[in-house]
PDB file of all heavy atoms in Angstrom:
ATOM      1  N   ASN A 168      74.424 -35.435 -17.638  1.00  0.00           N
ATOM      2  CA  ASN A 168      74.192 -36.602 -16.772  1.00  0.00           C
ATOM      3  C   ASN A 168      72.722 -37.010 -16.710  1.00  0.00           C
ATOM      4  O   ASN A 168      72.364 -37.903 -15.963  1.00  0.00           O
ATOM      5  CB  ASN A 168      74.738 -36.343 -15.358  1.00  0.00           C
ATOM      6  CG  ASN A 168      74.142 -35.077 -14.723  1.00  0.00           C
ATOM      7  OD1 ASN A 168      73.010 -34.695 -15.046  1.00  0.00           O
ATOM      8  ND2 ASN A 168      74.907 -34.438 -13.851  1.00  0.00           N
ATOM      9  N   LYS A 169      71.905 -36.305 -17.470  1.00  0.00           N
ATOM     10  CA  LYS A 169      70.480 -36.664 -17.514  1.00  0.00           C
ATOM     11  C   LYS A 169      69.963 -36.452 -18.950  1.00  0.00           C
ATOM     12  O   LYS A 169      70.114 -35.354 -19.500  1.00  0.00           O
ATOM     13  CB  LYS A 169      69.669 -35.827 -16.529  1.00  0.00           C
ATOM     14  CG  LYS A 169      68.297 -36.392 -16.251  1.00  0.00           C
ATOM     15  CD  LYS A 169      67.633 -35.699 -15.081  1.00  0.00           C
ATOM     16  CE  LYS A 169      68.298 -35.994 -13.750  1.00  0.00           C
ATOM     17  NZ  LYS A 169      68.064 -37.363 -13.299  1.00  0.00           N
ATOM     18  N   ARG A 170      69.376 -37.504 -19.498  1.00  0.00           N
ATOM     19  CA  ARG A 170      68.857 -37.443 -20.851  1.00  0.00           C
ATOM     20  C   ARG A 170      67.414 -37.863 -20.854  1.00  0.00           C
ATOM     21  O   ARG A 170      67.032 -38.873 -20.258  1.00  0.00           O
ATOM     22  CB  ARG A 170      69.668 -38.373 -21.779  1.00  0.00           C
ATOM     23  CG  ARG A 170      71.125 -37.993 -21.909  1.00  0.00           C
ATOM     24  CD  ARG A 170      71.928 -39.116 -22.542  1.00  0.00           C
ATOM     25  NE  ARG A 170      73.351 -38.751 -22.679  1.00  0.00           N
ATOM     26  CZ  ARG A 170      74.270 -38.890 -21.703  1.00  0.00           C
ATOM     27  NH1 ARG A 170      73.853 -39.381 -20.528  1.00  0.00           N
ATOM     28  NH2 ARG A 170      75.490 -38.516 -21.890  1.00  0.00           N
ATOM     29  N   VAL A 171      66.585 -37.081 -21.589  1.00  0.00           N
ATOM     30  CA  VAL A 171      65.148 -37.372 -21.688  1.00  0.00           C
ATOM     31  C   VAL A 171      64.791 -37.397 -23.171  1.00  0.00           C
ATOM     32  O   VAL A 171      64.956 -36.394 -23.868  1.00  0.00           O
ATOM     33  CB  VAL A 171      64.289 -36.326 -20.964  1.00  0.00           C
ATOM     34  CG1 VAL A 171      62.826 -36.692 -21.037  1.00  0.00           C
ATOM     35  CG2 VAL A 171      64.718 -36.197 -19.498  1.00  0.00           C
ATOM     36  N   LEU A 172      64.307 -38.523 -23.660  1.00  0.00           N
ATOM     37  CA  LEU A 172      63.875 -38.658 -25.023  1.00  0.00           C
ATOM     38  C   LEU A 172      62.361 -38.768 -25.020  1.00  0.00           C
ATOM     39  O   LEU A 172      61.777 -39.523 -24.225  1.00  0.00           O
ATOM     40  CB  LEU A 172      64.494 -39.888 -25.689  1.00  0.00           C
ATOM     41  CG  LEU A 172      65.940 -39.768 -26.204  1.00  0.00           C
ATOM     42  CD1 LEU A 172      66.910 -39.498 -25.054  1.00  0.00           C
ATOM     43  CD2 LEU A 172      66.338 -40.988 -27.002  1.00  0.00           C
ATOM     44  N   VAL A 173      61.713 -37.970 -25.889  1.00  0.00           N
ATOM     45  CA  VAL A 173      60.263 -37.872 -25.855  1.00  0.00           C
ATOM     46  C   VAL A 173      59.686 -38.142 -27.254  1.00  0.00           C
ATOM     47  O   VAL A 173      60.210 -37.646 -28.251  1.00  0.00           O
ATOM     48  CB  VAL A 173      59.816 -36.470 -25.399  1.00  0.00           C
ATOM     49  CG1 VAL A 173      58.298 -36.398 -25.238  1.00  0.00           C
ATOM     50  CG2 VAL A 173      60.497 -36.088 -24.081  1.00  0.00           C
ATOM     51  N   SER A 174      58.609 -38.908 -27.289  1.00  0.00           N
ATOM     52  CA  SER A 174      57.998 -39.227 -28.575  1.00  0.00           C
ATOM     53  C   SER A 174      56.530 -39.601 -28.371  1.00  0.00           C
ATOM     54  O   SER A 174      56.137 -40.038 -27.295  1.00  0.00           O
ATOM     55  CB  SER A 174      58.733 -40.367 -29.292  1.00  0.00           C
ATOM     56  OG  SER A 174      58.079 -40.721 -30.499  1.00  0.00           O
ATOM     57  N   ALA A 175      55.747 -39.421 -29.440  1.00  0.00           N
ATOM     58  CA  ALA A 175      54.353 -39.874 -29.430  1.00  0.00           C
ATOM     59  C   ALA A 175      54.247 -41.192 -30.190  1.00  0.00           C
ATOM     60  O   ALA A 175      53.136 -41.690 -30.399  1.00  0.00           O
ATOM     61  CB  ALA A 175      53.437 -38.816 -30.062  1.00  0.00           C
ATOM     62  N   THR A 176      55.395 -41.755 -30.586  1.00  0.00           N
ATOM     63  CA  THR A 176      55.428 -42.998 -31.376  1.00  0.00           C
ATOM     64  C   THR A 176      56.236 -44.038 -30.647  1.00  0.00           C
ATOM     65  O   THR A 176      57.356 -43.760 -30.206  1.00  0.00           O
ATOM     66  CB  THR A 176      56.029 -42.753 -32.750  1.00  0.00           C
ATOM     67  OG1 THR A 176      55.279 -41.704 -33.406  1.00  0.00           O
ATOM     68  CG2 THR A 176      55.975 -43.991 -33.602  1.00  0.00           C
ATOM     69  N   ALA A 177      55.693 -45.225 -30.549  1.00  0.00           N
ATOM     70  CA  ALA A 177      56.432 -46.321 -29.920  1.00  0.00           C
ATOM     71  C   ALA A 177      57.353 -47.025 -30.895  1.00  0.00           C
ATOM     72  O   ALA A 177      57.322 -46.737 -32.083  1.00  0.00           O
ATOM     73  CB  ALA A 177      55.449 -47.314 -29.306  1.00  0.00           C
ATOM     74  N   SER A 178      58.175 -47.930 -30.385  1.00  0.00           N
ATOM     75  CA  SER A 178      59.047 -48.781 -31.219  1.00  0.00           C
ATOM     76  C   SER A 178      60.035 -47.964 -32.050  1.00  0.00           C
ATOM     77  O   SER A 178      60.230 -48.224 -33.257  1.00  0.00           O
ATOM     78  CB  SER A 178      58.225 -49.700 -32.122  1.00  0.00           C
ATOM     79  OG  SER A 178      57.328 -50.486 -31.356  1.00  0.00           O
ATOM     80  N   ILE A 179      60.648 -46.970 -31.477  1.00  0.00           N
ATOM     81  CA  ILE A 179      61.643 -46.150 -32.163  1.00  0.00           C
ATOM     82  C   ILE A 179      63.041 -46.579 -31.699  1.00  0.00           C
ATOM     83  O   ILE A 179      63.306 -46.654 -30.490  1.00  0.00           O
ATOM     84  CB  ILE A 179      61.427 -44.640 -31.870  1.00  0.00           C
ATOM     85  CG1 ILE A 179      60.041 -44.201 -32.308  1.00  0.00           C
ATOM     86  CG2 ILE A 179      62.508 -43.833 -32.557  1.00  0.00           C
ATOM     87  CD1 ILE A 179      59.793 -44.309 -33.804  1.00  0.00           C
ATOM     88  N   ALA A 180      63.901 -46.837 -32.650  1.00  0.00           N
ATOM     89  CA  ALA A 180      65.309 -47.203 -32.306  1.00  0.00           C
ATOM     90  C   ALA A 180      66.036 -45.965 -31.830  1.00  0.00           C
ATOM     91  O   ALA A 180      65.948 -44.886 -32.428  1.00  0.00           O
ATOM     92  CB  ALA A 180      66.010 -47.757 -33.542  1.00  0.00           C
TER      93      ALA A 180
END
Side-chain angles (χ1 to χ4, degrees):
N168 56 29
K169 195 170 291 290
R170 297 167 180 84
V171 182
L172 280 64
V173 185
S174 177
T176 304
S178 304
I179 301 297

